């Protein structure tokens, strides 16, 4: 995105963006904090409201997974304030955009009434069409899966932000 793009970008209400995974303790809290950080770096954070949620309810009210929090901390990001929440059909209209971490999340969001034209995949702007668009769930694996998720999320944060800015003009 050029400086001219940023300067011409005006939107009276913040664009409300919800990052979604299954439990809201591993991937989507990291996605939220990474994209938020990128928006701050670009001077765009006042144009957005970012949050994250899970399609499941098991961890509602709980902290981010300790491995996600550690991965975030290793990269200078603080997940200590995160509390897990669930996205349900009655909250769909609280958000302008949904960004799903994997295809199961996407299917669950569609089933609860999220319109397809407000639903993105976190990796959908990667150019290699032969790869899976999923951010793999690191919950049942080791610390390396969390670092891999972190890298994937960083690689895609700018693409997601650029797309949302363009769509909102
Ligand atoms: P997340 O990972 O969807 O990236 O937060 C998971 C967290 C918890 C569970 C599964 C995935 N769980 O089954 O409790």
């Amino acid at each position: 995105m050029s400086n001219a793009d940023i300067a011409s970008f005006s939107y009276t209400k913040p664009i409300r963006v919800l990052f979604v995974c299954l439990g809201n303790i591993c991937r989507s809290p990291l996605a939220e904090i990474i994209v938020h950080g990128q928006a701050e770096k670009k001077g765009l954070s006042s144009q957005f409201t970012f949050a994250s949620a899970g399609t499941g309810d098991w961890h509602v009210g709980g902290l981010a997974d300790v491995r996600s929090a550690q991965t975030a901390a290793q990269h200078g990001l603080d997940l200590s304030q995160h509390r897990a929440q669930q996205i349900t059909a009655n909250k769909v209209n609280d958000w302008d955009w949904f960004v799903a971490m994997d295809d199961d999340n996407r299917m669950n969001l569609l089933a609860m009434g999220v319109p397809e034209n407000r639903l993105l995949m976190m990796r959908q702007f990667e150019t290699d069409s032969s790869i899976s668009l999923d951010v793999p769930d690191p919950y049942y694996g080791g610390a390396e899966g969390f670092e891999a998720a972190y890298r994937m999320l960083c690689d895609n944060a700018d693409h997601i932000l650029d797309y949302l800015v363009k769509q909102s003009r």
Side-chain angles (χ1 to χ4, degrees):
M1 193 169 17
S2 70
N3 286 340
D5 280 339
I6 293 171
S8 67
F9 171 56
S10 67
Y11 194 79
T12 48
K13 285 193 213 153
I15 305 159
R16 304 163 302 173
V17 184
L18 188 70
F19 295 90
V20 178
C21 61
L22 178 60
N24 192 217
I25 58 170
C26 298
R27 293 164 292 173
S28 62
L30 272 179
E32 174 193 344
I33 202 168
I34 289 167
V35 176
H36 192 168
Q38 278 305 103
E40 276 180 349
K41 277 190 192 147
K42 290 170 172 246
L44 290 169
S45 62
S46 65
Q47 320 277 359
F48 288 97
T49 299
F50 297 110
S52 61
T55 57
D57 66 358
W58 311 284
H59 300 282
V60 169
L63 298 170
D65 186 287
V66 67
R67 297 162 296 176
S68 260
Q70 278 169 355
T71 302
Q74 280 159 10
H75 296 282
L77 299 171
D78 179 12
L79 272 184
S80 65
Q81 299 307 307
H82 177 75
R83 297 294 179 275
Q85 59 175 343
Q86 185 185 25
I87 176 68
T88 47
N90 61 331
K91 298 183 208 152
V92 163
N93 286 328
D94 293 349
W95 301 98
D96 300 310
W97 291 94
F98 297 82
V99 184
M101 297 300 115
D102 67 29
D103 204 48
D104 285 344
N105 309 146
R106 181 176 181 278
M107 298 307 281
N108 284 327
L109 288 167
L110 289 171
M112 70 180 76
V114 171
E116 208 158 2
N117 63 0
R118 285 163 49 198
L119 178 51
L120 304 177
M121 294 288 285
M122 185 72 212
R123 298 181 70 185
Q124 81 177 64
F125 300 109
E126 285 187 30
T127 47
D128 182 353
S129 59
S130 64
I131 57 166
S132 159
L133 290 180
D134 290 351
V135 178
D137 188 348
Y139 184 67
Y140 294 105
E144 68 286 353
F146 286 79
E147 181 62 23
Y150 174 84
R151 296 266 160 232
M152 252 173 227
L153 295 167
C154 288
D155 287 348
N156 287 281
D158 276 350
H159 296 302
I160 292 286
L161 266 181
D162 288 353
Y163 180 84
L164 293 174
V165 167
K166 285 191 181 123
Q167 292 302 306
S168 307
R169 281 214 191 103

